[in-house]
């Protein structure tokens, strides 16, 4: 029966491919096209007369008076597109895959050429690998849409793809299924994300409130033209960051025709459309639906994750100087449980150790860009909301309100206004602006944190801990910034100075801008046309999570709300031996102050945030400290003929203090991070990708065996002995991913068939062992020491530790149909 079903499935796939091929006139001329707009990076003015060349080949064009260009009749394949003109630095975009199904649309920014007063050529070389700017001369990396789409094991998820970059870890143990982005030893809550200049606080499904991580990204990679990651030397316009700034740049819709793509893989189905709405307006729109719950049911796993997401963008050219952009992104998530057909201790542990989740979120925004004689002005308004519901019971499979152990009913909304002015005065670049945010936060929270400890007579000798409160928080956040930069000494030396200040009106916050004065300075020096040396210093602030600010304990206790402070010192070299090759080496040191420390657990909140639910719903102090230092190496080879790839290595040490004031390793203090991603164009539209990752031994905390036995049935997990925090280490993690793509181009249609194998050599990923009680042979009940039912306090239970090793080879076969 099963073999017959497999054969029918194979036959259906063959019929589908045959129908697709037969429905298209393959004898017609099959070509692709590329178009877009070219502007001056400094003032965003359109550039006319720019020469655009497609290599290999002889196709070329010149931009018109509005900076627009379009080249048609290009044979499908991988190309490099170069842009050049007198007075501007040449630019080349490598590994641009052109197909007959979708026309590629680019937004290209060119920088004015630096005047040369000596024999040295500072930056006029046509270098495709160069990323640094005068504002951020180091600690910055860039990914293109092709880097994201073809990344092995990435599953079209940007949050997983960026783990190929230096200094970027991916959760405790390295093999975590979550997108907990760890940047240079900082916690997952220390990053900020911007989509076309609009802040998007949530980019992952099943988001951990107060932290930011989750198991699956939301952003549609078909929309993304460019991703820039800054891990220090932050531009002053970006607030509330301690570890990184992600800038996601979306493409504009095609101006010539409506087009789209349909993607089907092992876990989801997605559709994307873009095109013109009028002569002045283009659009992008997409929707995605997962069917993981069906896959997990077939695999007899007890969890049923389910999600939708949506994304749109419209761009309207009001006149030659004014552009209006609307964008939006939203997600709907549901995480529930179902009893497995064949029960095992591991499956039953999963059911009661996690909360069920119902969550939805969205960000919508509008930006008005107005060009001026000296530059441009951006004014944006946006709104983002997270509605987070999570529930946990003694038995999640059969929940009873009387057996509830955990509840979150939370809604947080931010309404934002941003203004930034960007001008160029001769050799000087100046930007300044302000931001204001209205915060509305409601939190109904309940948690059985600890069971009471009783003596043999049943008397309570240590009271239990239960959090139960309902609080509304409304306040204003505001800030301002300025940044200035220029090149001196024959344009060899670049200087950038910036300052910002932030404050808020929360009762337990800080309303004085000068208390959060955040200076930063960057210096870069061009030794010659291949070598650059750079350094930076910055003082950065981040407001604690709303969950921390809104916490209400016994006797009206409220948490402090001081800004967390981080000071960065960074220095490094950049070597550009060829136009397509880039090497960097950097050393960094980060110091933290005012970090929140959990009063019940006695540990830094920097060690939390990789679990489902929320972080910060507990009493804290804010006298914690942290320190991270390390060195990282990065090598990148852009596409030359057939090969492209990146290699990165980071060594770092990350430590935070607890209530005892002693430094201890952070939960993601892996020490060693190695990642390499390689790609090879095989010809005839075949492409091969390979990725390897290594993360050193991650620290973890042993269990408090007495407290674990007492609280297990209530919490569904063991209780850690935080007096020995992160005193043990897991084995190092390593894994390899493989991806093969084959494209068929027809008239106005492209079919991409891909095979993506995650962990292709089945490497084991060790996680923290599971504390549980021993079960009967049929897994229907817990065994006890006296043959009676196990007591709620676990005194007659038989504790055991279950191995937490996952080494599943996960193949994914999918198709992408462009039309």
């Amino acid at each position: 029966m099963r073999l017959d079903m497999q054969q029918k499935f194979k036959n259906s796939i063959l019929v589908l491919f045959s129908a697709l091929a037969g429905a298209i006139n393959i004898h017609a001329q099959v070509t692709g096209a590329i178009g877009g707009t070219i502007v001056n990076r400094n003032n965003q003015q359109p550039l006319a007369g720019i020469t655009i060349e497609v290599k290999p080949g002889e196709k070329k064009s010149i931009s018109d008076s509005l900076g627009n260009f379009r080249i048609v009749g290009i044979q499908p394949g991988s190309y490099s597109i170069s842009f050049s003109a007198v007075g501007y630095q040449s630019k080349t975009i490598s590994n641009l895959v052109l197909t007959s199904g979708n026309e590629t649309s680019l937004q290209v920014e060119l920088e004015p050429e630096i005047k040369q007063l000596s024999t040295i050529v500072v930056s006029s070389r046509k270098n495709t690998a160069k990323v640094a700017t005068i504002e951020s001369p180091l600690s910055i990396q860039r990914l293109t849409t092709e880097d994201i789409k073809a990344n092995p094991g990435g599953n079209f998820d940007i949050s997983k793809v960026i783990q190929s970059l230096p200094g970027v870890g991916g959760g405790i143990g390295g093999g975590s299924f979550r997108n907990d982005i760890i940047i240079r030893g900082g916690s997952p809550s220390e990053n900020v994300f911007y989509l076309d200049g609009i802040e998007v606080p949530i980019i992952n499904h099943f988001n951990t409130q107060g932290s930011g991580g989750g198991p699956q990204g939301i952003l549609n990679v078909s929309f993304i033209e460019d991703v820039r990651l800054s891990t220090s030397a932050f531009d002053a316009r970006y607030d509330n960051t301690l570890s990184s700034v992600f800038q996601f740049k979306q493409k504009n819709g095609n101006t010539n025709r409506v087009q789209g793509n349909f993607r089907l893989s092992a876990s989801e189905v997605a559709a994307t459309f873009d095109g013109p709405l009028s002569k002045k307006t283009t659009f992008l729109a997409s929707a995605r639906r997962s069917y993981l719950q069906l896959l997990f049911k077939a695999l007899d796993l007890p969890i049923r994750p389910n999600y939708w997401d949506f994304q749109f963008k419209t761009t309207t050219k009001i006149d030659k100087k004014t552009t209006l952009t609307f964008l939006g992104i939203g997600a709907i998530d549901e995480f529930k449980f179902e009893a497995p057909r064949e029960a095992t201790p591991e499956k039953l542990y999963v059911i009661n150790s996690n909360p069920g989740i119902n969550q939805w979120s969205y960000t919508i925004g509008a930006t008005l860009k107005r060009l001026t004689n000296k530059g441009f002005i951006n004014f944006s308004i946006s709104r983002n909301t997270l509605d987070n519901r999570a529930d946990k019971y003694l038995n999640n499979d059969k929940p009873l309100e009387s057996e509830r152990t955990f509840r979150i009913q939370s809604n947080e909304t931010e309404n934002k206004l941003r203004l930034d002015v960007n001008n160029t005065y001769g050799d000087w670049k100046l930007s300044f602006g302000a931001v204001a945010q209205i915060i509305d936060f409601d939190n109904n929270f309940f948690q059985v944190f600890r069971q009471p400890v009783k003596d043999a007579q049943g008397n309570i000798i240590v009271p239990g801990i239960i959090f139960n409160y309902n609080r509304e928080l409304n306040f204003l956040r505001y800030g301002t910034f300025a940044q200035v930069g220029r090149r001196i000494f024959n344009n060899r030396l670049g200087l950038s100075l910036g300052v910002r200040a932030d404050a808020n009106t929360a009762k337990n916050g800080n309303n004085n801008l000068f208390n959060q004065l955040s200076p930063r300075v960057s210096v870069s020096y061009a030794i010659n046309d291949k070598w650059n040396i750079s350094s930076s210093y910055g003082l950065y602030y981040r407001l604690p999570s709303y969950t921390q600010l809104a916490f209400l304990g016994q006797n009206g206790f409220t948490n402090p709300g001081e800004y967390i402070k981080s000071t960065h010192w960074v220095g490094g070299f950049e070597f550009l031996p060829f136009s397509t090759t880039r090497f960097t080496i950097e050393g960094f040191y980060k110091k933290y102050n005012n970090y929140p420390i959990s009063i019940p657990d006695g540990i830094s909140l920097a060690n939390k945030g990789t679990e489902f639910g929320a972080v910060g719903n507990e009493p804290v102090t804010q006298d914690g400290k942290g320190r991270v230092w390390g060195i990282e190496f990065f090598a990148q080879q852009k596409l030359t003929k057939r090969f492209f790839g990146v290699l990165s290595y980071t060594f770092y040490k990350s430590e935070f203090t607890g209530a005892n004031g002693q430094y201890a390793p952070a939960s993601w203090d892996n020490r060693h991070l190695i990642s390499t991603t390689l790609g090879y164009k095989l010809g005839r539209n075949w492409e091969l990708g390979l990725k390897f990752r290594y993360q050193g031994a991650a620290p973890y905390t042993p269990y408090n065996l007495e407290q674990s036995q007492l609280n297990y049935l209530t919490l569904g997990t063991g209780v850690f002995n935080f007096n020995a925090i992160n005193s043990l280490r897991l084995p190092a993690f390593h894994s390899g991913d493989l991806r093969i793509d084959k494209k068929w181009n027809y008239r106005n249609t492209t079919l991409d068939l891909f095979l993506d194998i995650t962990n292709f050599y089945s490497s084991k990923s060790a996680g923290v062992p599971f504390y549980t009680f021993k079960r009967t042979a049929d897994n229907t009940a817990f065994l006890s020491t006296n043959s009676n039912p196990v007591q709620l306090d676990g005194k007659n239970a038989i504790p055991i530790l279950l191995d937490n090793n996952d080494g599943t080879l996960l193949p994914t076969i999918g198709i992408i149909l462009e039309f």
Side-chain angles (χ1 to χ4, degrees):
M1 175 77 67
R2 189 171 180 179
L3 291 175
D4 291 342
M5 292 180 64
Q6 290 178 346
Q7 188 61 44
K8 289 180 180 179
F9 176 76
K10 292 177 180 178
N11 291 340
S12 299
I13 295 297
L14 291 174
V15 170
L16 173 62
F17 285 172
S18 298
L20 289 171
I24 304 167
N25 180 7
I26 62 174
H27 297 293
Q29 186 178 13
V30 178
T31 61
I34 184 172
T37 303
I38 308 170
V39 300
N40 184 315
R41 183 180 185 274
N42 290 345
N43 58 26
Q44 297 295 293
Q45 295 282 352
L47 296 179
I50 304 297
T51 299
I52 304 100
E53 296 184 76
V54 180
K55 296 293 184 181
E58 302 298 328
K59 295 283 186 178
K60 61 174 60 179
S61 182
I62 296 178
S63 59
D64 63 19
S65 60
L66 299 178
N68 298 324
F69 71 94
R70 187 168 186 246
I71 304 175
V72 299
I74 306 172
Q75 291 296 316
S78 297
Y79 293 91
S80 294
I81 314 297
S82 65
F83 305 85
S84 59
V86 176
Y88 289 90
Q89 298 179 36
S90 299
K91 182 174 184 175
T92 298
I93 300 176
S94 296
N95 196 17
L96 199 60
V97 179
L98 303 184
T99 66
S100 58
N102 284 175
E103 179 174 330
T104 300
S105 181
L106 301 175
Q107 304 167 74
V108 181
E109 295 181 341
L110 297 185
E111 290 197 63
E113 194 164 36
I114 299 172
K115 296 177 182 179
Q116 305 301 322
L117 300 179
S118 68
T119 58
I120 181 175
V121 181
V122 178
S123 54
S124 62
R125 302 171 71 234
K126 191 187 296 184
N127 197 296
T128 67
K130 189 173 181 178
V131 181
T133 64
I134 190 171
E135 297 86 0
S136 299
L138 75 173
S139 301
I140 186 168
Q141 309 295 343
R142 175 175 176 262
L143 293 172
T144 66
T145 182
E146 295 304 326
D147 296 327
I148 299 166
K149 290 179 180 178
N151 188 274
N155 196 27
F156 303 97
D157 188 341
I158 293 172
S159 298
K160 289 183 174 63
V161 173
I162 62 98
Q163 294 175 26
S164 300
L165 298 177
V168 183
I172 296 176
S176 171
F177 65 93
R178 289 170 52 90
N179 289 334
D180 296 304
I181 301 173
I182 314 300
I183 306 291
R184 287 182 171 177
S187 81
S189 63
E190 297 177 11
N191 313 304
V192 295
F193 312 95
Y194 285 83
L195 186 65
D196 289 342
I198 298 291
E199 186 178 4
V200 181
I202 298 170
I203 65 167
N204 286 301
H205 288 283
F206 307 104
N207 174 77
T208 299
Q209 190 173 15
S211 178
Q216 177 65 44
I218 296 174
L219 294 175
N220 185 341
V221 299
S222 296
F223 280 27
I224 304 300
E225 182 175 299
D226 184 270
V227 181
R228 290 178 183 265
L229 168 63
S230 300
T231 53
S232 193
F234 308 127
D235 193 310
R237 73 184 69 238
Y238 301 115
D239 65 306
N240 220 39
T241 180
L242 298 179
S243 279
S244 77
V245 176
F246 285 83
Q247 303 168 59
F248 300 102
K249 179 184 176 183
Q250 298 184 106
K251 67 180 184 179
N252 286 333
N254 184 20
T255 59
N256 299 297
R257 67 178 178 93
V258 175
Q259 60 185 20
N261 68 67
F262 173 82
R263 187 174 77 239
L264 178 68
S265 70
S267 60
E268 63 189 24
V269 60
T272 300
F273 297 90
D274 70 282
L277 290 176
S278 68
K279 290 183 177 180
K280 293 185 175 183
T281 302
T282 62
F283 82 96
L284 297 165
S286 74
R288 178 171 58 164
R289 171 77 157 91
S290 81
Y291 41 83
L292 280 173
Q293 71 278 19
L294 302 178
L295 177 62
F296 284 14
K297 183 176 182 179
L299 296 174
D300 197 28
L301 297 178
I303 57 176
R304 298 290 184 270
N306 183 26
Y307 62 81
W308 288 81
D309 57 53
F310 314 90
Q311 196 168 337
F312 78 88
K313 175 186 178 182
T314 65
T315 305
T316 302
K317 192 76 172 177
I318 297 175
D319 56 41
K320 291 183 178 180
K321 293 188 175 184
T322 311
T323 303
L324 178 63
T325 301
F326 286 98
L327 62 82
I329 181 173
I332 302 172
D333 305 326
E334 181 184 27
F335 188 93
K336 59 183 182 180
F337 305 94
E338 187 172 311
R341 296 186 297 274
E342 296 181 11
T344 66
E346 290 80 7
K347 292 178 182 178
L348 296 174
Y349 176 87
V350 169
I351 291 178
N352 290 325
S353 62
N354 294 290
I357 299 171
N358 278 281
Q359 189 178 99
W360 55 264
S361 64
Y362 69 82
T363 298
I364 56 174
T367 299
L368 186 70
K369 176 184 285 186
R370 176 69 178 180
L371 305 186
T372 65
N373 292 333
K374 296 292 184 179
F376 60 98
I377 300 172
N378 285 321
F379 175 75
S380 64
I381 180 171
S382 65
R383 175 184 175 94
N384 54 265
T385 292
L386 167 66
D387 190 272
N388 187 27
R389 309 295 169 107
D391 300 280
K392 191 177 178 184
Y393 304 85
L394 290 178
N395 187 349
N396 278 337
D397 188 35
K398 297 177 181 179
L400 296 174
E401 186 60 34
S402 60
E403 297 181 343
R404 177 186 291 277
T405 61
F406 184 80
R407 179 192 64 236
I408 296 176
Q409 294 178 357
S410 176
N411 184 282
E412 65 178 61
T413 298
E414 298 174 325
N415 300 284
K416 304 176 183 180
L417 290 173
R418 290 183 182 273
L419 173 70
D420 62 80
V421 180
N422 306 269
N423 289 332
T424 301
Y425 301 95
D427 294 330
W428 290 90
K429 295 178 67 175
L430 171 67
S431 61
F432 58 91
V435 59
Q437 307 181 40
I438 299 173
I439 310 302
D440 296 309
F441 182 65
D442 299 312
N443 198 21
N444 186 338
F445 183 75
F446 171 82
Q447 183 182 13
V448 179
F449 196 82
R450 293 283 191 278
Q451 288 280 22
V453 178
K454 300 179 181 179
D455 61 18
Q457 289 72 41
N459 301 313
I460 296 177
I461 55 177
V462 178
I465 301 176
I466 295 178
F467 301 137
N468 189 8
Y469 65 92
N470 189 354
R471 193 178 183 199
E472 182 177 352
L473 198 65
N474 308 104
F475 62 97
L476 177 68
R477 289 171 55 182
Y478 47 93
T480 184
F481 80 92
Q483 184 134 0
V484 62
R486 71 160 296 173
R487 294 187 182 276
I488 56 177
F489 296 153
N490 292 335
N491 295 309
R492 293 191 183 196
L493 182 65
L495 296 174
S496 181
L497 302 173
V499 64
R500 73 167 295 117
D502 295 281
N504 66 83
T505 62
K507 291 183 179 179
N508 51 346
N510 195 313
N511 61 10
N512 188 337
L513 286 169
F514 292 101
N515 288 339
Q516 286 77 234
L517 201 63
S518 174
R520 71 265 335 252
V521 56
S522 297
V523 181
S524 60
Y525 184 76
I527 300 173
N528 54 40
D529 65 334
K530 295 182 178 181
W531 285 92
N532 296 285
I533 183 172
S534 303
S535 64
S536 70
Y537 162 84
L539 178 61
Y540 310 109
Y541 289 92
R542 181 178 177 89
L543 187 70
S545 67
Y546 299 140
T547 49
Q548 175 184 321
L549 293 175
F551 177 81
L552 184 63
Q554 294 181 350
N555 302 318
F557 174 88
T558 58
N559 282 327
E562 291 297 315
Y563 283 78
I564 305 169
K565 182 170 69 173
S566 181
T567 308
H568 292 204
W569 292 269
V570 185
F573 292 89
E574 179 184 52
F575 178 46
L576 303 167
F578 309 105
S579 64
T580 56
T581 308
R582 177 175 180 243
F583 296 94
T584 65
I585 186 167
E586 294 184 5
F588 57 89
Y589 179 80
K590 299 195 294 186
K591 182 175 72 173
Y592 294 89
N593 294 97
N594 303 335
Y595 225 103
I597 294 177
S598 166
I599 292 176
D601 289 331
I603 66 169
S604 173
L605 293 197
N607 288 310
K608 298 188 176 186
T610 58
E611 62 278 344
F612 291 110
V615 175
N617 287 303
E618 57 183 304
V620 302
T621 63
Q622 271 201 257
D623 52 2
K625 297 181 180 180
R627 61 191 181 194
V628 183
W629 63 270
I631 188 169
E632 64 186 28
F633 169 78
F634 180 67
Q636 182 177 33
Q637 175 62 54
K638 288 290 188 178
L639 179 66
T640 55
K641 294 185 178 179
R642 296 183 181 274
F643 173 78
F644 59 96
V646 296
L647 169 67
S648 66
Y649 168 72
T650 304
F651 172 81
Y652 69 97
K653 188 175 183 180
S654 176
E655 298 176 313
F656 287 86
T657 63
N660 60 6
Q662 301 298 310
Y663 281 98
S667 296
W668 28 82
D669 180 43
N670 299 83
R671 303 291 175 91
H672 300 277
L673 302 175
I674 301 174
S675 178
T676 183
T677 302
L678 308 174
Y680 192 78
K681 306 282 185 177
L682 296 169
R684 300 181 64 84
N685 294 318
W686 284 91
E687 184 172 337
L688 175 66
L690 179 67
K691 180 167 70 177
F692 173 79
R693 287 188 300 140
Y694 174 91
Q695 294 193 13
Y700 74 99
T701 302
Y703 288 105
N704 182 320
L705 298 181
E706 180 181 351
Q707 286 292 315
S708 294
Q709 188 166 358
L710 177 68
N711 289 278
Y712 175 72
L713 290 182
T714 300
L715 304 179
T717 63
V719 176
F720 292 109
N721 177 15
F722 288 121
N723 291 325
I725 183 169
N726 292 331
S727 58
L728 304 176
R729 288 195 178 256
L730 299 168
F733 161 80
H734 56 89
S735 177
D737 305 324
L738 179 69
R739 182 181 172 107
I740 301 173
D741 282 79
K742 166 62 177 173
K743 293 182 175 67
W744 290 270
N745 287 282
Y746 307 100
R747 186 182 182 187
N748 296 327
T749 308
T750 298
L751 178 65
D752 183 352
L753 177 65
F754 65 87
L755 171 64
D756 199 335
I757 305 176
T758 301
N759 194 19
F760 69 83
Y761 60 90
S762 299
S763 173
K764 295 294 183 181
S765 171
V768 179
F770 298 141
Y771 180 97
T772 185
F773 294 157
K774 191 173 183 178
R775 292 182 175 271
T776 58
D778 60 2
N779 290 303
T780 58
F782 291 114
L783 288 173
S784 67
T785 57
N786 56 11
S787 299
N788 293 325
V790 171
Q791 299 168 209
L792 184 61
D793 61 10
K795 287 186 176 180
N796 62 337
I798 304 174
I800 61 170
L801 292 177
L802 297 176
D803 289 337
N804 179 14
N805 293 320
D806 183 19
T808 305
L809 180 151
L810 184 60
T812 297
I813 298 176
I815 60 171
I816 304 173
L817 179 65
E818 298 180 0
F819 51 87

